[in-house]
Amino acid sequence: MKPNHNENDTMTSAILVTGGAGYAGSHTVAALLERPDTDVDIVVVDNLSNAYRPEGQKKPEPLRIIEEMTEKTIHFYDIDIRDAAGLCRIFENHNIDCVIHFAALKAVAESVEKPLEYYQANITGTCTLFEVMRKYGVHKLVYSSSCTVYGEPERLPLDEGHPTGAGLTSPYGRSKYFCEEIMKDLCRSDPKWMVISLRYFNPVGAHPSGKIGEDPNGIPNNLMPYISQVAVGRLKELVVFGADYPTVDGTGVRDYIHVVDLAEGHVKAVKLFKQKGFSGFHAVNLGTGTGYSVLQLLSAFEKASGRKIPHRVAGRRAGDIAANVADPALAQRLLGWRAARGLADMCADTWRWQRTHPNGYRGE
Ligand code: NAD
Ligand code: WQD
């Protein structure tokens, strides 16, 4: 693929989005391209391990749909982030100015069964990407981190000063924590690095068009896609994991954040790189600051969908915590970002996507 050239015959500056065909990545690509002031190329690298590309199609389905929605082109490479030579080709072909790094394996329970696969993809892959970035003099990075790094909360809401790394229950969680430590070391080693590690709470929802959304492989591990698949008739009933937590109704409480708000957080982070004097490692929560229980989410979804969702209570899920809520104040101060969409939007947008795509991107 030929690099883009502008009138002055310099290459258009580009943002590299790893894992950009996945759930959070595709919504962020859409948010970047939907902005009228976006004057950068978007380059996506994804190995399609958790994204769908129909046979014979060049681009993964969510990217094709975003191109159609925005009438803009996305450059796509089917490459694994552990493939250094492949990544180098991308940096040769495009004038990459910054990287948004989503690519990772993310199934918590699977990571306990397959720790090496998770450390390989999430840590070796991330280090390979950083080496290539350094080689090409690219030091601006937005990283997909997780509230998981806080472990069992000592206090709520969770602010970024809360300790990280203690009591992590899965290789997945540890991989996110280790990557943060690696990025801190990188920033200590060279002041040119600018790293914003966005600690997501629980991303849910879909693009308001209903055209892109979350498309989990197999039976969903997470609550919102599970509920929406019960609502659409793909699954029989929701199993509520524990109703004996010290919470409002005994069920687990989480800080659900609309994926479009999450995507906009990334757009704000990229803008911060332009601020004079900005450098070093910054961890920032992306959450709403409000927690909802499993039963509250269930009831909001029933309202949004107009459907009754069968459910039964079972025992606690291993490794779960009672409650998790973000302090989003730093995101407001540093990025000028705050979540704009509430629980009703999260449910309505998930439902619009799910009812129009009962089998996700794969159709019937
Ligand atoms: P996702 O699985 O939908 O997206 C990840 C994408 O990365 C997929 O398209 C997959 O094919 C790709 N990928 C995986 N390994 C790769 C590799 N080695 N090389 C190239 N591409 C690869 O997941 P998501 O929910 O969009 O999550 C994105 C990021 O956000 C991940 O880093 C995840 O850990 C983090 N995160 C997600 C959540 C969540 O609940 N969704 C919460 C906190 C943090
Ligand atoms: C939410 C609540 C469950 C499913 C996970 C990862 C975390 C982060 C976000 C990436 C809990 C309950 C769930 C079900 C249920 N991902 N539940 N029945 O556990 O907060 O976080 O996703 O970084 O690392 O661990 O999210 O959606 O799985 O669960 O009752 O079938 O719903 O017990 O209280 P969680 P979740």
Side-chain angles (χ1 to χ4, degrees):
M1 189 181 291
K2 284 255 181 313
N4 278 351
H5 290 267
N6 61 24
E7 315 170 317
N8 307 320
D9 208 32
T10 54
M11 269 201 276
T12 308
S13 130
I15 299 176
L16 176 63
V17 184
T18 75
Y23 175 46
S26 59
H27 286 82
T28 300
V29 168
L32 287 162
L33 290 177
E34 277 166 347
R35 296 185 65 87
D37 58 345
T38 297
D39 55 356
V40 292
D41 277 349
I42 302 297
V43 181
V44 168
V45 55
D46 197 300
N47 69 354
L48 304 177
S49 58
N50 199 28
Y52 175 60
R53 177 172 59 181
E55 221 172 292
Q57 192 171 295
K58 281 209 177 99
K59 291 177 191 171
E61 192 58 1
L63 300 187
R64 184 196 65 74
I65 294 166
I66 296 167
E67 286 189 328
E68 197 177 84
M69 283 185 335
T70 60
E71 298 178 345
K72 290 179 182 164
T73 302
I74 300 162
H75 304 273
F76 174 69
Y77 293 84
D78 173 3
I79 285 175
D80 192 294
I81 53 162
R82 286 162 288 188
D83 172 3
L87 290 180
C88 286
R89 278 201 306 282
I90 300 177
F91 280 76
E92 295 285 346
N93 282 350
H94 301 273
N95 180 18
I96 308 291
D97 177 53
C98 85
V99 176
I100 310 181
H101 178 29
F102 293 99
L105 299 178
K106 64 159 184 179
V108 176
E110 185 187 59
S111 79
V112 177
E113 308 289 319
K114 300 178 175 174
L116 286 180
E117 282 79 353
Y118 273 70
Y119 290 134
Q120 263 287 340
N122 296 4
I123 300 183
T124 309
T126 295
C127 288
T128 306
L129 172 70
F130 293 169
E131 275 168 13
V132 174
M133 287 175 68
R134 186 180 58 181
K135 177 172 170 185
Y136 287 88
V138 177
H139 297 97
K140 296 175 191 155
L141 172 73
V142 181
Y143 177 74
S144 294
S145 189
S146 169
C147 60
T148 292
V149 300
Y150 293 119
E152 176 97 41
E154 286 174 8
R155 56 177 184 268
L156 289 177
L158 283 157
D159 59 273
E160 291 81 353
H162 185 285
T164 57
L168 302 183
T169 52
S170 73
Y172 167 74
R174 269 188 284 279
S175 75
K176 292 279 137 183
Y177 166 70
F178 291 149
C179 283
E180 282 206 351
E181 295 304 301
I182 291 167
M183 293 184 293
K184 286 180 195 170
D185 283 336
L186 263 186
C187 290
R188 284 183 201 112
S189 75
D190 184 344
K192 285 206 282 295
W193 283 95
M194 303 179 200
V195 178
I196 303 175
S197 185
L198 296 175
R199 293 178 178 160
Y200 311 166
F201 277 68
N202 289 54
V204 296
H207 193 275
S209 66
K211 291 182 178 172
I212 58 169
E214 187 171 12
D215 184 15
N217 262 335
I219 295 175
N221 300 307
N222 297 118
L223 181 62
M224 183 67 109
Y226 201 105
I227 288 182
S228 67
Q229 291 197 12
V230 174
V232 85
R234 260 176 87 170
L235 295 169
K236 198 167 108 279
E237 62 176 2
L238 171 73
V239 179
V240 178
F241 298 141
D244 57 350
Y245 286 108
T247 60
V248 57
D249 55 21
T251 64
V253 165
R254 298 292 183 271
D255 186 335
Y256 297 97
I257 168 175
H258 197 297
V259 68
V260 174
D261 279 330
L262 186 93
E264 285 169 1
H266 292 73
V267 175
K268 296 274 189 186
V270 168
K271 280 180 175 267
L272 193 59
F273 293 140
K274 293 207 170 96
Q275 197 179 89
K276 208 167 176 281
F278 185 80
S279 83
F281 176 88
H282 302 263
V284 183
N285 289 339
L286 289 185
T288 64
T290 303
Y292 291 102
S293 73
V294 174
L295 294 180
Q296 286 171 332
L297 181 58
L298 183 81
S299 145
F301 202 92
E302 286 185 332
K303 207 165 160 198
S305 63
R307 298 202 175 178
K308 203 85 204 126
I309 296 161
H311 63 278
R312 71 179 161 86
V313 173
R316 294 180 179 191
R317 183 173 65 178
D320 266 2
I321 54 175
N324 213 4
V325 182
D327 178 344
L330 181 63
Q332 169 87 65
R333 274 202 314 278
L334 193 69
L335 307 178
W337 173 93
R338 61 185 298 180
R341 294 156 182 86
L343 189 63
D345 303 306
M346 300 179 208
C347 294
D349 291 338
T350 303
W351 181 235
R352 189 175 302 106
W353 156 253
Q354 186 71 79
R355 85 180 147 74
T356 52
H357 300 79
N359 297 311
Y361 290 113
R362 284 167 182 80
E364 291 314 306

